[in-house]
Amino acid sequence: QQQVKQSPQSLIVQKGGISIINCAYENTAFDYFPWYQQFPGKGPALLIAIRPDVSEKKEGRFTISFNKSAKQFSLHIMDSQPGDSATYFCAAISGNTPLVFGKGTRLSVIA
Amino acid sequence: GAGVSQSPSNKVTEKGKDVELRCDPISGHTALYWYRQSLGQGLEFLIYFQGNSAPDKSGLPSDRFSAERTGGSVSTLTIQRTQQEDSAVYLCASSLGGQPYGYTFGSGTRLTVV
């Protein structure tokens, strides 16, 4: 059973556009929701994260929107750049249990 | 070192052989995790070590998989009698114990079973 469902599987966005990746979860015990960015040949790296007591968190061009009642959260990348082309993973965690990851979204930003 | 180091970076093995994958976590990180990344399948949790506690082995897919962590530092993931479906990238991460944030991943070992 997949605990965190991520969509879309792949995404192509024009340079300067907005990239949106969505995730949904079922386990209401999850209390921390990070996003990871992975470039080819590298391990995932923490990009931005949110706790369920806030509805939005922004860091530069990256924003997480969180809807606790719908059990959904999303990553928005504003003014997308070719350098943002990577695979993005949403994840969730409860207490000290290991992170549970979505299946990933491959983002391509084209000029 | 400053990051999580994994070796080898690539490993090609014949079906039925045993393989060992190594992970050197960040110094001082008490938690260590192994994940498997298969194409289109995201990151699948395998095993988790936290300090001196018994490891959480709930993600290991079969008894052919095992891992140990010596001296609270270096970890080795062993796959016995490898199968073609074991082909994947094996990622190791470490973090400060009890902290959900700050997982630092290594670059992984790409395992190919032929």
Side-chain angles (χ1 to χ4, degrees):
Chain A
Q1 182 182 2
Q2 189 182 354
Q3 295 194 54
V4 179
K5 294 185 179 180
Q6 183 172 348
S7 63
Q9 191 172 10
S10 63
L11 181 62
I12 300 174
V13 174
Q14 292 276 357
K15 179 182 176 182
I18 302 174
S19 304
I20 301 175
I21 304 170
N22 300 299
C23 285
Y25 64 97
E26 288 297 325
N27 186 350
T28 55
F30 287 145
D31 57 7
Y32 180 74
F33 301 87
W35 285 88
Y36 281 77
Q37 179 188 55
Q38 184 180 31
F39 293 105
K42 301 293 185 182
L46 179 64
L47 184 64
I48 187 173
I50 197 168
R51 292 199 179 273
D53 53 348
V54 298
S55 60
E56 184 175 283
K57 183 174 182 180
K58 183 176 181 179
E59 290 184 1
R61 296 184 295 107
F62 300 90
T63 299
I64 300 178
S65 296
F66 189 85
N67 186 329
K68 188 174 181 178
S69 61
K71 293 185 285 187
Q72 296 176 346
F73 58 111
S74 60
L75 176 69
H76 296 235
I77 306 174
M78 312 300 288
D79 186 27
S80 299
Q81 299 297 312
D84 297 329
S85 298
T87 299
Y88 293 82
F89 293 94
C90 62
I93 195 170
S94 169
N96 287 337
T97 60
L99 276 171
V100 176
F101 288 87
K103 290 192 174 185
T105 296
R106 179 172 290 185
L107 172 66
S108 297
V109 181
I110 56 176
Chain B
V4 176
S5 178
Q6 291 189 245
S7 60
S9 56
N10 283 283
K11 176 71 176 178
V12 180
T13 190
E14 293 182 351
K15 178 182 174 181
K17 294 286 181 71
D18 297 352
V19 295
E20 287 189 350
L21 312 180
R22 177 186 169 103
C23 173
D24 278 279
I26 291 174
S27 178
H29 279 192
T30 58
L32 186 147
Y33 313 82
W34 283 97
Y35 284 82
R36 178 168 69 176
Q37 184 173 19
S38 304
L39 193 62
Q41 294 302 310
L43 281 75
E44 175 189 8
F45 164 71
L46 296 177
I47 188 168
Y48 159 44
F49 296 89
Q50 170 56 58
N52 295 321
S53 302
D56 176 354
K57 304 179 181 180
S58 61
L60 294 178
S62 78
D63 59 8
R64 296 186 296 106
F65 288 72
S66 64
E68 63 177 19
R69 188 178 185 192
T70 55
S73 182
V74 172
S75 178
T76 302
L77 177 68
T78 302
I79 308 173
Q80 296 179 309
R81 304 181 303 281
T82 52
Q83 303 295 313
Q84 287 187 330
E85 61 262 28
D86 299 334
S87 296
V89 175
Y90 289 82
L91 290 161
C92 174
S94 69
S95 72
L96 288 170
Q99 302 291 328
Y101 27 86
Y103 274 41
T104 302
F105 281 87
S107 294
T109 294
R110 180 175 295 278
L111 175 66
T112 304
V113 182
V114 298

